[in-house]
Amino acid sequence: MRISPRSRSLLKRRSGSAVLRARQPYARTRGDGTLRLGWHPSPAQAVVLAFATVILAGTLLLMLPIAAAGTPATFLQALFTATSAVCVTGLTVVDTATFWSPLGQFIVVALIQLGGFGIMTFVSLIGIGLARKMSLQARLNAAVEVRTVDFDDARGVVSGVLRLTVAIEGGVALLLALSFGLIQGEPPLRAITQGLFHAVSAFNNAGFALFSDNLAGYVSDPTICLPICAAIILGGLGFPALMQIRRYGLNRHGWTITTRMVLLMTPIMLAGGTIGIAINEWDNPGTLGPLPLGAKVLAAFTTSVQTRTAGFNVIDMGALDPATMLGMDALMFIGAGPAGTAGGIKVTTFLVMLAFVYAEVRGTQRLHLMGKRIPQLAMQQAMTVGLLGAGCIGTAVVILSETTDASLDALLFEACSAFGTVGLSANLTPSLPPHAQFIIITLMFVGRLGPVTLGVALARARRPVPYDLPEERPIIG
């Protein structure tokens, strides 16, 4: 095989490239025997392409006449639903309970499970089952998707994710099926179907429901609300935290700092959201006002849990007080734990940002958190994720406010819900014009993958700069 001088030069320059570089070369032989270079997707690009491919496939499946209960879905309706399902968001433009046929509902829940479990993780699982091993590229792809730092243990991570998913979804599905069957009086097959659908939707923080009013009909039923809340919270902790809890129990010495941060912030945000919602909405006739005392507390807690990026609603989101909506915007933007089924910028990112600001105010050069020193790179990444996330939401809200007649607080609520892959809606998304729904679709896609992952996937390969510029410090503040 002959190698052209240009290809030989390129190979020499790129021989030391990092494994996770945004673009990776691979070799192909031309007809004349010379070697030419092609493009091979990096792990970040592979994840983005995998999600986009599954969304497109789901769109085509949902457009089939047999997927709808009546008139077949349009391209926009199918695309929006597929994106919302794969990105485990829960925002809808059609009624899931009545618009889709049983086959369409099965496609939706399959997309939810695939999106929540992780497409590259699922592909890696198939590879393990067929070949009993994972290739290096498969380990890298899975490691990027589940955010593990040790890609050599990717096979163990994938297997652990599968076991946790089956155990939690199975347990919650059983509890819900018993409640639907024994308490709500549903036929056995329908009770099992409803229990399984809502367990998958809850654990994957999706928020899709098989009822036209979502879960508003069960606002005072703890046998429905609490198992769903438990699944949402567990899914929002993230797979690394769940696997460490399973392995070490309550022994904090075995936990990583990520698990400690998640378990610290989760109860704080749940309690803060519950108290804030209860105080603001206690006498609101459109939300908690008409409910008895116990139902008010349950509804406030359930609604707070939904801001963890789930999206089930037990009260009318369109009737919320503007102050409540603003507080929920913040909770949806933060989201839940990393490397799980939740969205948002993640609680770890938010806590690092808070700690960074606190350290700067105190004049501390190094950032210490929970007995550990946080590296400079982590601080830079946290600030980047936070600013990019806020920029995405801000840009979308500006465009939507200029092109629609909706109120600013409703648009901000909808944008935060889409970016945080939450699914709560102020009754606005179905009535948005097509271009606005495409913006919401984009926010869901970016929010599920993360702005940094998407940016790395779209960026060119990093090139070293052989020079530097004179340093000068600007005035800050």
Side-chain angles (χ1 to χ4, degrees), residues 236-273:
L237 292 178
F239 292 116
L242 288 175
M243 286 189 282
Q244 287 186 17
I245 293 173
R246 185 187 66 176
R247 181 175 182 180
Y248 299 107
L250 298 179
N251 182 12
R252 296 187 300 171
H253 298 291
W255 296 348
T256 63
I257 188 172
T258 298
T259 300
R260 296 180 185 180
M261 293 166 71
V262 169
L263 295 181
L264 170 67
M265 293 297 295
T266 296
I268 292 176
M269 295 182 64
L270 287 175

Side-chain angles (χ1 to χ4, degrees), residues 74-391:
T74 65
F75 174 76
L76 181 57
Q77 290 172 335
L79 176 64
F80 195 102
T81 303
T83 305
S84 184
V86 174
C87 297
V88 291
T89 304
L91 288 172
T92 59
V93 291
V94 296
D95 184 3
T96 306
T98 60
F99 185 88
W100 302 111
S101 67
L103 176 61
Q105 293 172 354
F106 173 79
I107 294 173
V108 169
V109 77
L111 293 175
I112 292 171
Q113 184 67 82
L114 191 57
F117 185 73
I119 295 169
M120 300 310 301
T121 308
F122 179 74
V123 171
S124 299
L125 184 65
I126 294 177
I128 293 174
L130 295 178
R132 302 296 178 184
K133 62 181 181 179
M134 291 178 66
S135 65
L136 173 61
Q137 188 66 42
R139 293 202 304 271
L140 290 171
N141 293 341
V144 168
E145 189 168 53
V146 300
R147 305 295 198 276
T148 179
V149 297
D150 183 8
F151 67 85
D152 288 331
D153 191 37
R155 175 172 178 168
V157 171
V158 170
S159 301
V161 169
L162 175 64
R163 289 193 295 268
L164 283 171
T165 300
V166 172
I168 295 174
E169 289 182 355
V172 174
L174 177 61
L175 293 176
L176 291 176
L178 292 174
S179 179
F180 282 124
L182 300 179
I183 299 177
Q184 305 300 329
E186 297 285 353
L189 181 59
R190 181 170 175 78
I192 294 173
T193 301
Q194 290 179 338
L196 183 60
F197 184 98
H198 292 94
V200 172
S201 183
F203 178 69
N204 289 286
N205 281 224
F208 282 87
L210 292 179
F211 309 103
S212 296
D213 60 352
N214 207 275
L215 295 183
Y218 303 97
V219 61
S220 59
D221 189 345
T223 64
I224 299 294
C225 292
L226 292 182
I228 287 179
C229 287
I232 293 168
I233 294 172
L234 290 174
L237 292 178
F239 292 116
L242 288 175
M243 286 189 282
Q244 287 186 17
I245 293 173
R246 185 187 66 176
R247 181 175 182 180
Y248 299 107
L250 298 179
N251 182 12
R252 296 187 300 171
H253 298 291
W255 296 348
T256 63
I257 188 172
T258 298
T259 300
R260 296 180 185 180
M261 293 166 71
V262 169
L263 295 181
L264 170 67
M265 293 297 295
T266 296
I268 292 176
M269 295 182 64
L270 287 175
T274 302
I275 294 172
I277 293 170
I279 292 175
N280 288 331
E281 302 296 325
W282 194 264
D283 295 322
N284 187 339
T287 55
L288 301 183
L291 301 176
L293 176 61
K296 286 184 178 182
V297 176
L298 179 62
F301 172 73
T302 303
T303 303
S304 177
V305 172
Q306 306 316 311
T307 62
R308 309 291 294 162
T309 80
F312 294 102
N313 62 282
V314 293
I315 57 177
D316 184 5
M317 296 291 111
L320 290 173
D321 183 89
T324 305
M325 296 181 72
L326 186 60
M328 292 176 67
D329 290 341
L331 293 175
M332 292 189 294
F333 178 72
I334 296 171
T341 60
I345 64 171
K346 307 299 187 297
V347 293
T348 49
T349 302
F350 178 70
L351 192 55
V352 169
M353 292 172 66
L354 283 183
F356 175 75
V357 173
Y358 179 71
E360 285 293 312
V361 171
R362 293 187 58 193
T364 305
Q365 293 183 348
R366 294 183 178 179
L367 176 58
H368 293 166
L369 187 63
M370 295 184 173
K372 301 289 185 178
R373 182 172 63 85
I374 306 299
Q376 183 70 25
L377 179 60
M379 292 186 283
Q380 294 174 351
Q381 290 175 335
M383 300 302 293
T384 301
V385 170
L387 290 175
L388 285 178

